[in-house]
Amino acid sequence: MEIKIYQGEPEPARLVTCFQDLEPVGLPQELHELVTDMQANDEFKGKFGETHTIRLKGTPRHVIVIGLGKQGELTLEQVRKIVGKAVKAALKLKTSGLDIFPAEFGDFAPPHLARAIAEAAELAAYKFDSYKSERQQPTLESVNLVWAESQEVPLALAEGKALATATSLARRLVNEPANKMTPAQLAAEAEAMGESNNIEVEILEEDRIQALGMEAFMSVARASTNRPRLIVMRHRGAPESDRMLALVGKGLTYDSGGLSIKPTEGMAFMKCDMGGAAAVVGAMAAIGEMKLPANVVGIVAACENMIAGNAYKPGDIIGSMGGKTIEVGNTDAEGRLTLADAITYAIREEKASHVLDIATLTGAALIALGDVHTAVLASDDSLFGELEYAAELSGEKIWRLPHDPEYKVLLKSDVADLRNTGTQRLAGTIAAGLFLQEFTEEKPWLHLDIAGTAWTSKEGDYSDKGGTGWGVRTLYHLAKQNG
Ligand code: BES
Ligand code: ZN
Ligand code: ZN
């Protein structure tokens, strides 16, 4: 599907939007009458998201009429939802093209509007159906923005498309089942991403991971026949700057829980346990594609948490690349072990000055915030401010949790420097974050727990069930501020 600025022949479908209880503005007479008649007959009030599909009399053309809600209350995220609804309606109608008139949404800055529309239009069409024997080819070929073009619009449109493509990539990486998306396959996907987006990608195999002293990572990885990979993705967009942002993604291509095995229900969707890695691969794709003037390194310690005679065990005491010793309280708290070493690698080997980690880390985040907000811990208020701004641009919601020193008792071990689980599962999300902070060597640090947001069991306005690609766009906007 192509998204473009176009003022030529009208397409067979057109989106018409209208604010609640107001007369539509700027419509050609025929459509104006159609909408005002519907309003007069009480068939259409213009409530937010209210959708009607109408065939124009005597023509093969359709109008998709959608309410915008109260004037003055419309947000960019709501624009994405409206555009998503329109694209889904057009896909259902099997039309070849859809016209959208961005001016109908009101006074948004044109670049912001163009980016949001491009994101939603492409993402609404995303489907994971590559394993279905009978696939329906979508018929929608083009979405046209009928618009008096302003100068910054083409770049914003390109940015929106790049972000949508990168988010679709992240969704696919998560949706691929664990028997296909092994650590080696994830590494191959990262390499392919690097090829097409100008990102330098280096894959470290087991011998080098061992040689670096990544004992925590290797302990988790040990019991699987699918061997681990350390994936490093580099973008040097600001060679003069000494700022280096590390994006570290949890890359458990499968999490059985290990010897602290999960029940079947809990295991069923643990192919999503590389959602953080997918967000980082996706963000790096968009960062490379848009040639952001910032230095960013993406790191993924990819492995499977499995069971075998050589598996790591509750009670084990293991080392880490950073030097701290760790008592294993539970082998299902594996993500923090792999991430700890990945963070140390980012700081010591890639000279990261700022660290962000993103991970499907704790069931507690899912319990606390559901699939709406991503839980965040932040060591630095100004870096958190940048993340807040990035999340506002992307429409992805975040919620900051406290991490007062009182919580540190949750990491205490009688026999080692740290323990990978607290007692009684108190403050699970905070405890996991604080564990990671022990490896950040005082660098400004952000921790994003996407256990609730990386996956959804319901279809959204511009998303399908399954992997959401959460984080790709927020990470991109954060990197953009880090030049
Ligand atoms: N991958 C899981 C967390 C998870 C749960 C992600 C649900 C997505 C949805 C993680 O490795 C895990 O199992 N965490 C444990 C930690 C506990 C043993 C301290 C948890 O949250 O129960
Ligand atoms: Zn686990
Ligand atoms: Zn896990």
Side-chain angles (χ1 to χ4, degrees):
M1 188 178 78
E2 201 192 350
I3 303 161
K4 57 181 189 291
I5 297 166
Y6 184 72
Q7 275 108 359
E9 287 296 299
E11 292 285 357
R14 182 210 206 274
L15 170 65
V16 169
T17 58
C18 180
F19 285 103
Q20 192 168 333
D21 302 323
L22 289 180
E23 236 186 83
V25 278
L27 289 183
Q29 199 188 349
E30 155 191 53
L31 294 179
H32 188 91
E33 272 169 23
L34 180 107
V35 176
T36 47
D37 281 356
M38 282 169 73
Q39 287 173 321
N41 299 335
D42 260 354
E43 288 163 6
F44 177 66
K45 293 214 175 315
K47 288 213 174 104
F48 176 77
E50 186 188 344
T51 306
H52 301 267
T53 306
I54 300 140
R55 171 89 172 261
L56 283 180
K57 276 196 205 93
T59 76
R61 300 188 60 225
H62 283 91
V63 279
I64 300 161
V65 183
I66 306 188
L68 296 176
K70 296 210 176 92
Q71 197 172 26
E73 289 182 7
L74 189 69
T75 63
L76 268 184
E77 179 60 7
Q78 287 181 324
V79 170
R80 288 189 193 93
K81 290 184 175 176
I82 303 269
V83 170
K85 278 179 193 291
V87 167
K88 289 197 180 202
L91 285 165
K92 240 195 198 148
L93 290 168
K94 299 196 187 306
T95 94
S96 59
L98 171 69
D99 286 336
I100 295 179
F101 291 69
E104 286 177 15
F105 293 116
D107 301 329
F108 292 101
H112 287 256
L113 198 52
R115 188 179 60 231
I117 293 173
E119 287 172 358
E122 188 173 324
L123 287 172
Y126 173 83
K127 253 199 151 10
F128 181 67
D129 57 4
S130 44
Y131 293 94
K132 291 263 191 199
S133 303
E134 282 178 31
R135 296 165 68 185
Q136 292 222 326
Q137 278 305 327
T139 48
L140 188 62
E141 285 162 17
S142 70
V143 172
N144 301 318
L145 310 190
V146 188
W147 207 355
E149 196 178 324
S150 92
Q151 238 177 7
E152 314 110 303
V153 163
L155 185 65
L157 204 58
E159 189 177 46
K161 287 189 217 176
L163 287 169
T165 305
T167 304
S168 301
L169 167 62
R171 288 181 181 179
R172 181 176 65 77
L173 296 180
V174 171
N175 287 331
E176 285 287 348
N179 59 325
K180 306 282 187 216
M181 194 51 63
T182 58
Q185 182 57 29
L186 187 58
E189 297 276 0
E191 280 183 313
M193 176 283 294
E195 283 284 313
S196 32
N197 296 284
N198 249 311
I199 297 288
E200 178 192 321
V201 178
E202 190 182 356
I203 308 297
L204 279 64
E205 298 202 4
E206 209 168 339
D207 48 341
R208 292 183 61 197
I209 299 172
Q210 292 277 18
L212 284 162
M214 301 179 96
E215 193 182 332
F217 175 28
M218 279 312 299
S219 298
V220 176
R222 204 159 62 212
S224 178
T225 44
N226 293 318
R227 305 311 300 162
R229 299 287 187 281
L230 184 72
I231 305 169
V232 184
M233 297 159 273
R234 303 185 185 99
H235 173 80
R236 265 212 165 272
E240 310 289 282
S241 162
D242 48 16
R243 206 167 153 138
M244 171 65 78
L245 173 66
L247 304 176
V248 182
K250 173 172 172 182
L252 265 289
T253 59
Y254 194 68
D255 178 13
S256 71
L259 286 170
S260 313
I261 192 166
K262 288 181 184 293
T264 305
E265 317 83 74
M267 235 186 261
F269 72 110
M270 275 305 130
K271 67 172 186 178
C272 81
D273 215 15
M274 33 60 73
V280 170
V281 173
M284 294 306 296
I287 288 166
E289 169 77 21
M290 295 309 292
K291 303 190 167 57
L292 288 193
N295 301 322
V296 188
V297 60
I299 316 273
V300 173
C303 69
E304 279 186 345
N305 187 18
M306 296 296 280
I307 297 173
N310 64 348
Y312 80 131
K313 302 171 282 293
D316 283 358
I317 300 174
I318 59 180
S320 62
M321 184 178 174
K324 293 190 174 161
T325 57
I326 305 162
E327 179 191 2
V328 178
N330 187 316
T331 62
D332 198 11
E334 82 299 336
R336 66 199 74 178
L337 301 174
T338 63
L339 286 163
D341 278 351
I343 289 171
T344 303
Y345 175 88
I347 295 169
R348 299 207 181 155
E349 300 291 317
E350 303 292 330
K351 309 294 173 230
S353 59
H354 296 69
V355 177
L356 174 147
D357 73 76
I358 179 164
T360 47
L361 204 59
T362 64
L366 179 72
I367 303 289
L369 302 173
D371 61 3
V372 179
H373 285 87
T374 284
V376 176
L377 261 63
S379 70
D380 182 283
D381 289 344
S382 101
L383 189 60
F384 179 71
E386 291 175 20
L387 181 73
E388 263 187 317
Y389 179 64
E392 197 183 302
L393 287 178
S394 71
E396 295 177 322
K397 295 186 179 187
I398 57 169
W399 196 261
R400 189 176 181 178
L401 297 177
H403 64 281
D404 306 55
E406 287 93 320
Y407 289 109
K408 285 207 177 180
V409 294
L410 298 172
L411 311 177
K412 244 182 99 56
S413 164
D414 291 335
V415 288
D417 298 333
L418 295 165
R419 212 177 117 96
N420 78 334
T421 50
T423 36
Q424 301 170 321
R425 302 203 163 200
L426 289 181
T429 303
I430 298 171
L434 280 180
F435 181 92
L436 294 178
Q437 192 180 16
E438 293 293 316
F439 296 87
T440 56
E441 304 183 13
E442 317 270 303
K443 305 284 181 219
W445 161 76
L446 294 168
H447 166 65
L448 279 64
D449 192 332
I450 55 170
T453 49
W455 183 268
T456 178
S457 47
K458 37 185 200 293
E459 185 180 348
D461 289 323
Y462 63 102
S463 58
D464 201 0
K465 289 179 190 177
T468 58
W470 202 103
V472 170
R473 291 176 298 138
T474 300
L475 265 47
Y476 170 87
H477 289 301
L478 180 74
K480 202 173 169 179
Q481 298 165 68
N482 267 255

